[in-house]
Amino acid sequence: MDRSENGALLIVEDSDEDYALALWALRQAGCARAIRRARSLTEALACLCPEHAGALGETPLLDLVLLDLNLPDGTGQELLLALRAAHGQALPVPVIVLTTSSNPRDVGEFYQLGVSGYLVKPLDRERFAAQMRVVVDYWLRTVRLPPAFLPVAPCPEQTA
Amino acid sequence: MPATTDSSNCDREQIQFSGAIQPHGALLVLGETELRIQQASANSEAFLGLPPDALLGQGVARVLGKSASAELRERLAAHSLSAGLVHLMTVQPLAGTPACHLFGHRTADGHLLLEFDRLDEAARISAPDVYQSVHAALHRLQSAETLQAFFDHAVVEVRAITGFERVMAYRFAADGSGEVIAESLAAGLEPYLGLHYPAVDIPEPARRVCRLSWLRHLPDAGYHSVPLIPECHPETGAPVDLSRSFLRSVSRMYTGYLKNMGVKATLVTTLLKDGQLWGLISCMHHSAPRYLPFETRAAVECLAHMVSLLMGRKDAEDHYAYRLKLGEAREQLLDAMFQANAPHPALRAAEPNALSALDAEGVALLDKGELHRLGQTPAEADILALAEWLARRDGLWFASHELAEAYPPAASFQPLASGLLAVRWAPGSPDGLLWFRPEWRQVVHWAGDPNKPMEIDDSSGEARLMPRTSFELWKETVAGQSRPWLECEIEHAIELRHGIVDLILRHTEQLRRINRELAESNLELDTFAYAASHDLKEPLRGIHTSIEFLQEEDGPLLSSSGQGRLATVLRLTRRMDELIETLLQYSRVGRIDLRLEAVDLNELVVQTLELFEPLRKERATARMLGRLPVVECDRVRVGEIFTNLISNALKYNDREEKRVDIGCDASADPPVFFVRDNGIGIAVRQYARIFQIFRRLHPRDAYGGGTGAGLTITKKAIERHGGQIWLESVPGRGSTFFFTLAPPR
């Protein structure tokens, strides 16, 4: 069990099925963190970048971002570039990419942009659950993270 | 042998200061102002009725009378006499000797020379006819197609007008040597056509005389010269310059030469081009001395003038025509090269090739270190060494008609290639074109009988002055030389080089562009394949996950057949996922660049076999027969090839004892590898099908299932190495797959 004073997870995911699957897999992995969701590039930028900030409100600290590359209004690259531009050419919080695309050029490019991991989603939910377990074990229970990132705008509430 | 002759002492014989004339006319040297006679030819009495001693110191009126002298003064005032000999008038000497033509000119040292030539009444009467024929001759000359045809006509016309038995047209080369380029002959005379003679046969004084006077006549080669009285000019004490005199006594060398040739009379006119001595028209009479009267000489001189004028144009036209032909051949050749996208058509046997239109016997093309030859060329090794030598020189073109002078090793193939015209594509590289011209003396012949004995009375030391000896001597002087390259030929080569270099650049640029486009399209295909597989897999994952949730949440509520259907959907989505993954891999095999390195296949196969260790439990043995070679290949791909073939060998095998043998026939080139099994075998009619993608010969889950793309990918990986795969199989006994990893040799 995680300590509750730890920061939340932000999942950037437009598909409801995949979001549900991710929540399920995180539960399977015993992750009890607060979960936030951004449905689009715009939403993600609004809570992560000052110049895109919306109305200020109660915002939880973030420890980790899970980023699905399929976004309705832009690409994962755009999001990362905007984040880096707003935070001195670095990512303010560890980002893990979740995708079905295995193009080595994409993989390379995302690591260049500073992501902390790149996962290719398998077909079976069991295998996906196993992957998420490794992510949770490593990122939320093993390594020491930097101070949690305070988003500039409230991220949308968890919808589960 | 032409106008005058020489052997080297002739350059010293000052023919213009001979102080003597020929006997067919008389000459007076006068002081300009008083017109007083200062010198007279010893034969003055025969023409003017008074011996020299009666003339010296007298005014010219003493010879011509008052009125004629007055007329002469007027004529002298009217003409500029310093440019050359002028026909002033006809005169009747006071002494009652026959009438004469009177010619005059001023020498460079300011003396006035008067020359008397007996008037020929018959010639005077027929003069209009002669001009008529000159006129007609000019007309015919103008219509000649080539310079050669032009001179062939010219010598015929001159022979018709002069009645001389032999008329030749000579042409001087840049080095001073000469060549008989056209000849018209009376029957029974030995032809001199094609004869070349060395530069020493026409010494500088003779050339100078040729430039100064249009026509020289020697009516009787056996004449006795007539001295001037006194021999030297009384005021200057020096001999008078007779350069422009038409009576001037000729060199003894010349008369000796003529005697050797059996010539009794000559008439020589000068051919000038752009003020330069270009050649001569030389008339010879063999049977007897022959004197041409003034009217006929004037006609011939006029013809020579016209020939000179026309010739310059014909010569230019000739070169122009040659230039055009070269240009045309070049266009066609470059066109052919452009079609072929390479310079090699230059050397094909069919026209157009690099020898089309260009006057050379052989050509070689050195292209990317490969040598191609056409026609008569030196040996391959000689050309390669020559090309290397050229590559070390500055300049991208080279022309020489004496190659061995510049490049001594060329002496060894001198007869074949004394002349070289070469162009190279780029500095420092030997690649280019080389044209060869044979040694001149090997290919030049004259029309004379080469077997005629060369016997001559040598008592006078004049044995050398014969056409045959001239020809032999000329051959010696041009040893190691080819005919020189013309400017338009060098231009042609340089132009051709431009075209070829453009072609090569364009070709390189094209290749570069194609490669770039290929790389881009490969990248696009790659991106497309990944995107497609990703886009296909997304909904598939959605379906799969949804079914899994459905099974979990509502599974117990479903009938057993309903549960079965869910299981089927899951199985099908899994299979679909595998197919998409395989398709992606397959589409990439053909595009991935191979990383070629020397790979020890023994090591590689041993590592591959380790993957199959767990199969030992199933009583399967895979072993290597003998050693495998080290080959240049992509380690990862070849590992996959072996893995796939070995796993098939074990998979399609229902024996108690499964056996796989891996080996190689290293005696073949390239080596042939094989993977042999004792499995179920494949029927011959199925050989082709097993390599088709997603084609399986068995029920879907028999023999461990699979997508049916393994052999397809394997075949593609082999073909990427330039190799081939084939098999031999007996159903029920086993199969052997053979493959190579390099293109067939």
Side-chain angles (χ1 to χ4, degrees):
Chain A
M1 279 295 113
D2 307 312
R3 296 194 311 277
S4 56
E5 66 265 22
N6 284 334
L9 258 64
L10 173 66
I11 302 181
V12 184
E13 172 63 81
D14 67 322
S15 140
D16 288 343
E17 294 85 10
D18 276 334
Y19 180 65
L21 179 68
L23 286 184
W24 172 85
L26 286 167
R27 264 203 312 278
Q28 294 285 307
C31 169
R33 303 269 182 134
I35 307 282
R36 301 279 152 168
R37 177 182 177 194
R39 284 184 176 74
S40 64
L41 177 72
T42 317
E43 278 185 20
L45 284 176
C47 77
L48 295 174
C49 292
E51 59 262 39
H52 296 275
L56 280 171
E58 192 64 32
T59 48
L61 296 168
L62 288 184
D63 262 345
L64 191 62
V65 176
L66 298 182
L67 169 63
D68 186 286
L69 291 183
N70 279 347
L71 297 172
D73 56 349
T75 65
Q77 284 95 326
E78 284 175 61
L79 173 64
L80 294 168
L81 284 168
L83 264 182
R84 289 168 61 90
H87 298 279
Q89 290 311 317
L91 295 180
V93 58
V95 176
I96 311 287
V97 171
L98 297 181
T99 176
T100 38
S101 165
S102 56
N103 189 339
R105 283 200 309 137
D106 288 350
V107 180
E109 189 178 353
F110 279 98
Y111 278 108
Q112 290 270 309
L113 288 169
V115 301
S116 302
Y118 187 104
L119 297 181
V120 179
K121 294 194 256 184
L123 186 71
D124 281 9
R125 63 179 191 163
E126 288 303 336
R127 286 170 61 198
F128 180 63
Q131 275 186 349
M132 291 315 287
R133 193 170 301 120
V134 173
V135 169
V136 168
D137 278 350
Y138 182 77
W139 287 104
L140 303 180
R141 295 179 181 140
T142 309
V143 300
R144 185 161 298 223
L145 289 167
F149 171 66
L150 176 62
V152 291
C155 298
E157 279 302 303
Q158 168 186 340
T159 51
Chain B
M1 135 167 205
T4 47
T5 190
D6 155 68
S7 62
S8 39
N9 65 351
C10 201
D11 262 351
R12 296 188 301 272
E13 189 188 345
Q14 299 213 295
I15 51 179
Q16 70 272 39
F17 298 119
S18 61
I21 60 165
Q22 298 174 50
H24 62 281
L27 183 141
L28 299 178
V29 180
L30 276 62
E32 183 67 55
T33 41
E34 302 280 323
L35 294 188
R36 286 202 182 284
I37 299 168
Q38 296 165 323
Q39 286 175 286
S41 55
N43 61 353
S44 58
E45 193 165 2
F47 289 85
L48 310 174
L50 292 165
D53 54 358
L55 294 171
L56 295 177
Q58 302 294 320
V60 78
R62 180 84 180 78
V63 178
L64 300 181
K66 273 210 171 75
S67 69
S69 299
E71 200 180 330
L72 175 63
R73 271 182 195 282
E74 273 174 44
R75 298 283 164 103
L76 290 174
H79 287 282
S80 154
L81 295 181
S82 39
L85 196 67
V86 172
H87 181 264
L88 295 166
M89 54 203 288
T90 53
V91 291
Q92 176 60 63
L94 282 180
T97 47
C100 291
H101 290 290
L102 173 54
F103 304 90
H105 77 278
R106 266 189 207 91
T107 63
D109 42 13
H111 307 297
L112 180 63
L113 265 57
L114 295 183
E115 296 181 68
F116 297 83
D117 182 16
R118 207 154 272 154
L119 195 137
D120 180 328
E121 210 45 52
R124 275 190 90 168
I125 291 164
S126 61
D129 298 347
V130 175
Y131 285 116
Q132 214 46 58
S133 48
V134 167
H135 199 76
L138 284 174
H139 214 73
R140 284 192 288 273
L141 284 175
Q142 269 172 317
S143 59
E145 291 279 322
T146 62
L147 192 69
Q148 186 58 56
F150 175 80
F151 277 107
D152 289 344
H153 284 301
V155 290
V156 170
E157 304 290 355
V158 173
R159 196 155 86 87
I161 291 168
T162 60
F164 271 68
E165 290 159 336
R166 180 196 299 275
V167 177
M168 291 176 283
Y170 291 100
R171 179 178 196 157
F172 294 125
D175 64 351
S177 68
E179 176 190 358
V180 178
I181 56 171
E183 184 176 37
S184 174
L185 272 182
L189 287 175
E190 187 190 17
Y192 293 145
L193 184 62
L195 171 66
H196 286 67
Y197 45 89
V200 292
D201 274 14
I202 318 153
E204 182 42 39
R207 280 165 198 281
R208 184 177 156 272
V209 166
C210 286
R211 282 194 299 271
L212 290 177
S213 66
W214 278 94
L215 184 135
R216 280 135 345 262
H217 186 23
L218 179 64
D220 180 3
Y223 77 98
H224 294 290
S225 65
V226 179
L228 294 187
I229 311 290
E231 200 176 333
C232 289
H233 194 271
E235 287 175 11
T236 62
V240 172
D241 180 353
L242 298 177
S243 299
R244 295 182 195 273
S245 159
F246 91 94
L247 290 173
R248 181 181 54 78
S249 185
V250 298
S251 152
R252 276 184 305 105
M253 282 293 172
Y254 181 40
T255 48
Y257 202 166
L258 296 176
K259 198 174 88 194
N260 291 348
M261 287 167 60
V263 173
K264 306 230 169 26
T266 65
L267 178 84
V268 179
T269 66
T270 299
L271 297 176
L272 291 176
K273 187 184 169 192
D274 307 326
Q276 297 299 308
L277 184 62
W278 184 95
L280 306 167
I281 290 180
S282 170
C283 311
M284 292 180 175
H285 213 63
H286 295 263
S287 53
R290 181 172 177 80
Y291 168 74
L292 271 199
F294 162 68
E295 287 75 7
T296 317
R297 293 200 314 262
V300 172
E301 190 176 323
C302 167
L303 197 59
H305 271 284
M306 296 316 289
V307 164
S308 282
L309 288 172
L310 288 173
M311 169 193 83
R313 215 176 60 207
K314 282 279 178 258
D315 198 13
E317 274 174 22
D318 228 26
H319 277 210
Y320 181 68
Y322 185 32
R323 216 180 270 270
L324 278 185
K325 252 174 51 184
L326 283 174
E328 214 169 287
R330 193 167 60 233
E331 286 293 309
Q332 290 179 340
L333 181 56
L334 284 170
D335 215 41
M337 291 180 180
F338 186 74
Q339 297 293 335
N341 216 350
H344 62 73
L347 274 287
R348 62 182 180 190
E351 302 260 337
N353 56 41
L355 287 178
S356 305
L358 186 73
D359 175 20
E361 285 304 311
V363 63
L365 167 72
L366 191 59
D367 184 37
K368 302 187 194 79
E370 275 192 20
L371 186 67
H372 312 266
R373 299 182 293 164
L374 180 72
Q376 292 179 24
T377 69
E380 211 159 294
D382 288 332
I383 298 179
L384 289 173
L386 173 62
E388 282 304 331
W389 174 76
L390 286 169
R392 288 194 298 273
R393 295 175 55 97
D394 290 341
L396 293 171
W397 66 272
F398 176 84
S400 166
H401 64 283
E402 296 179 277
L403 183 55
E405 283 287 303
Y407 176 67
S412 66
F413 48 82
Q414 191 165 290
L416 206 57
S418 292
L420 170 71
L421 173 58
V423 289
R424 291 182 301 111
W425 313 153
S429 155
D431 279 8
L433 273 169
L434 302 90
W435 288 269
F436 300 101
R437 241 177 212 177
E439 192 174 17
W440 209 349
R441 62 179 186 176
Q442 309 280 345
V443 290
V444 171
H445 307 284
W446 58 300
D449 176 6
N451 303 314
K452 213 165 150 185
M454 207 169 38
E455 281 180 43
I456 183 114
D457 167 28
D458 197 14
S459 58
S460 60
E462 287 170 352
R464 197 340 253 109
L465 296 172
M466 287 290 289
R468 185 181 317 281
T469 27
S470 280
F471 194 61
E472 293 307 321
L473 185 66
W474 172 81
K475 278 190 166 186
E476 279 166 42
T477 60
V478 296
Q481 293 182 14
S482 71
R483 229 165 346 84
W485 299 97
L486 299 172
E487 212 169 295
C488 63
E489 289 169 332
I490 295 170
E491 264 170 37
H492 169 73
I494 292 171
E495 285 292 320
L496 195 57
R497 175 194 167 268
H498 273 307
I500 292 173
V501 168
D502 273 355
L503 182 85
I504 291 171
L505 285 179
R506 202 167 30 215
H507 184 59
T508 315
E509 188 44 46
Q510 219 174 15
L511 277 181
R512 209 178 285 137
R513 202 186 58 240
I514 289 171
N515 274 333
R516 201 171 49 232
E517 283 170 4
L518 195 63
E520 279 169 12
S521 74
N522 266 345
L523 204 60
E524 278 172 25
L525 275 172
D526 234 24
T527 308
F528 170 78
Y530 278 113
S533 79
H534 165 257
D535 291 349
L536 290 170
K537 282 178 166 196
E538 275 293 304
L540 208 55
R541 268 187 52 256
I543 294 168
H544 196 87
T545 310
S546 300
I547 299 288
E548 285 178 317
F549 278 120
L550 183 61
Q551 262 186 337
E552 183 186 46
E553 293 157 8
D554 299 339
L557 303 178
L558 292 176
S559 65
S560 64
S561 77
Q563 288 181 6
R565 287 189 204 293
L566 287 189
T568 303
V569 174
L570 286 183
R571 198 168 40 74
L572 288 175
T573 47
R574 260 187 224 109
R575 171 145 180 80
M576 182 104 182
D577 191 63
E578 273 175 17
L579 288 174
I580 292 169
E581 190 56 35
T582 306
L583 200 54
L584 175 65
Q585 278 178 20
Y586 172 74
S587 78
R588 300 197 64 234
V589 172
R591 292 197 306 272
I592 290 174
D593 285 334
L594 296 180
R595 293 181 38 192
L596 294 178
E597 52 183 338
V599 178
D600 181 350
L601 292 181
N602 299 293
E603 225 175 87
L604 186 70
V605 172
V606 166
Q607 284 170 6
T608 307
L609 289 176
E610 279 169 8
L611 299 174
F612 297 98
E613 265 312 287
L615 292 172
R616 287 213 181 267
K617 292 197 288 288
E618 301 176 31
R619 306 175 66 183
T621 46
R623 52 184 192 157
M624 244 165 45
L625 304 180
R627 301 276 302 161
L628 301 179
V630 172
V631 294
E632 186 86 358
C633 64
D634 183 314
R635 176 187 297 274
V636 176
R637 305 277 145 210
V638 173
E640 285 169 356
I641 292 167
F642 276 110
T643 304
N644 184 272
L645 291 176
I646 294 167
S647 91
N648 279 352
L650 293 168
K651 196 156 59 167
Y652 298 100
N653 196 322
D654 38 22
R655 304 239 182 183
E656 287 292 298
E657 304 267 352
K658 300 178 168 58
R659 252 201 358 266
V660 184
D661 293 336
I662 298 124
C664 166
D665 175 4
S667 67
D669 187 16
V672 176
F673 303 94
F674 63 86
V675 176
R676 183 181 303 132
D677 64 51
N678 59 347
I680 57 172
I682 301 159
V684 172
R685 62 188 167 78
Q686 305 282 21
Y687 283 9
R689 295 184 66 197
I690 56 172
F691 293 109
Q692 294 169 0
I693 193 159
F694 303 148
R695 173 79 62 191
R696 287 175 49 85
L697 305 182
H698 308 285
R700 203 170 44 221
D701 290 329
Y703 301 109
T707 57
L711 272 180
T712 317
I713 292 175
T714 297
K715 179 169 187 264
K716 208 163 181 182
I718 286 168
E719 285 168 353
R720 285 282 285 140
H721 282 85
Q724 292 167 299
I725 180 165
W726 66 99
L727 69 144
E728 290 168 7
S729 179
V730 180
R733 300 276 303 279
S735 310
T736 308
F737 281 83
F738 299 91
F739 65 96
T740 55
L741 288 173
R745 292 196 232 290

